[in-house]
Amino acid sequence: MNKTYSLFLFLLCTSFYAQTRLLSWNIENLGKSKSNLELEFIANTLKDYDIVALQEVVAGDGGAQTVTKLADELNRKGAKWDYSISNPTSSSAYKTERYAYLWKTSRARLKGKPWLESKFQLEIDREPYLATFIVNQKEVTLVNFHAITKSKQPEREIKYFKLLPGQYPQLNLLFLGDFNCPQSHSVFTPLKKMGYESTLKGQKTSLKRNSKNGAALASEFDNLFYHKKVKKIDGGVIHFYKAFSSLQEARKISDHIPIWMVFSLEEY
């Protein structure tokens, strides 16, 4: 093997390992109602990513245990995974839920303990779940969030996000999850003026109940907002529902599709 080719392989491998594959997914009612086959399908969808952020883990009804089972399933896919589950959010019994993170231990390391953001727990029904990860000796703090439904005006909650960069000036925040609100809404303008950009633009992410004229997706709700300190390499969605014969079958997994981003912190 000549030196030029060896150098090319070294640079290629270095570039790959400097990239982090991040996925966010609102898995509807993630709890004991999910069968083993459904958890295996979910694990196969997640296994190629480095860090996973989940929304809508049920607060009771086996939600935490189901995340543990999902982590066990991922550990059988060829890589070692760890996970963290939030306490139930401080919202009413009907709306409360948990968040979760799962990550490959060879690709990311948790710094400190994740936390539910308590400062705005009276203003935000399901306060976001934050966790700082170390990837390639750099740090990024994920802000995992599930907003109230569109009919209840989620912008009333999202408007407080503009205060978090000032509250945590030392952290490199990356907002992600189900905002029940499109990135084009003016409520995101303050974040954009601070240098944040959305990974997806004009991409619908929630599933319809029935496909109409071949259209399966309903609304532009899920996204990832990264600061200019993060180098976005790629981003997109996973049309997992295409593996099923109908949307009704697909919705047993979730009523949202996963969203993802490949990024690097090498310049931060």
Side-chain angles (χ1 to χ4, degrees):
M1 186 181 297
N2 62 49
K3 291 182 178 179
T4 301
Y5 187 63
S6 297
L7 177 61
F8 170 76
L9 287 180
F10 172 77
L11 293 174
L12 186 64
C13 290
T14 300
S15 174
F16 172 78
Y17 282 104
Q19 298 177 9
T20 300
R21 296 176 60 84
L22 172 64
L23 181 142
S24 174
W25 197 0
N26 176 345
I27 302 182
E28 184 183 19
N29 293 323
L30 183 58
K32 69 178 183 181
S33 64
K34 301 297 184 192
S35 69
N36 290 335
L37 280 176
E38 289 166 347
L39 286 177
E40 183 179 11
F41 179 89
I42 292 168
N44 282 328
T45 305
L46 304 180
K47 65 184 178 65
D48 293 328
Y49 293 84
D50 302 320
I51 304 174
V52 172
L54 301 180
Q55 303 90 45
E56 211 167 311
V57 177
V58 298
D61 213 23
Q65 294 90 330
T66 302
V67 173
T68 300
K69 288 175 65 176
L70 178 57
D72 290 341
E73 188 66 41
L74 283 166
N75 280 323
R76 291 191 282 270
K77 304 294 181 185
K80 178 69 176 70
W81 288 75
D82 203 349
Y83 63 95
S84 177
I85 308 166
S86 77
N87 289 327
T89 56
S90 62
S91 42
S92 65
Y94 176 73
K95 296 178 182 177
T96 188
E97 61 186 52
R98 299 177 189 263
Y99 298 96
Y101 290 109
L102 303 102
W103 63 94
K104 287 178 180 169
T105 58
S106 62
R107 304 288 288 135
R109 179 163 54 92
L110 190 64
K111 179 182 179 181
K113 185 178 180 180
W115 70 99
L116 285 170
E117 178 50 60
S118 60
K119 185 170 183 180
F120 305 112
Q121 66 182 17
L122 297 180
E123 293 83 9
I124 298 177
D125 265 5
R126 294 178 288 245
E127 63 272 29
Y129 187 45
L130 285 74
T132 298
F133 289 93
I134 301 173
V135 290
N136 304 307
Q137 289 77 52
K138 308 291 192 305
E139 296 181 8
V140 62
T141 299
L142 304 183
V143 184
N144 192 359
F145 181 58
H146 183 197
I148 53 177
T149 59
K150 183 179 179 181
S151 63
K152 295 185 180 295
Q153 298 177 303
E155 59 270 22
R156 294 190 294 110
E157 297 185 329
I158 298 168
K159 68 181 182 181
Y160 292 102
F161 280 31
K162 66 186 177 185
L163 303 177
L164 289 178
Q167 184 177 339
Y168 299 107
Q170 77 281 16
L171 300 182
N172 182 17
L173 301 178
L174 193 159
F175 300 89
L176 77 173
D178 175 10
F179 298 93
N180 277 311
C181 189
Q183 61 80 30
S184 57
H185 194 287
S186 60
V187 73
F188 292 110
T189 300
L191 282 178
K192 292 176 180 179
K193 287 182 177 179
M194 294 178 195
Y196 285 87
E197 295 185 31
S198 64
T199 298
L200 306 175
K201 292 179 173 64
Q203 173 65 59
K204 295 179 179 179
T205 58
S206 64
L207 282 180
K208 294 183 175 182
R209 293 193 177 276
N210 297 288
S211 178
K212 295 180 180 178
N213 300 320
L217 298 177
S219 300
E220 183 187 351
F221 283 166
D222 304 79
N223 223 314
L224 309 98
F225 291 85
Y226 62 97
H227 195 268
K228 56 187 176 183
K229 292 179 287 189
V230 173
K231 180 181 178 183
K232 174 193 165 188
I233 297 165
D234 201 0
V237 300
I238 300 175
H239 298 277
F240 81 89
Y241 56 89
K242 293 183 178 180
F244 295 86
S245 59
S246 69
L247 288 185
Q248 289 87 346
E249 285 297 309
R251 286 171 64 98
K252 292 179 181 178
I253 299 293
S254 181
D255 57 354
H256 287 247
I257 59 175
I259 63 173
W260 58 269
M261 180 173 115
V262 179
F263 69 89
S264 172
L265 300 175
E266 57 193 4
E267 297 180 2
Y268 169 51

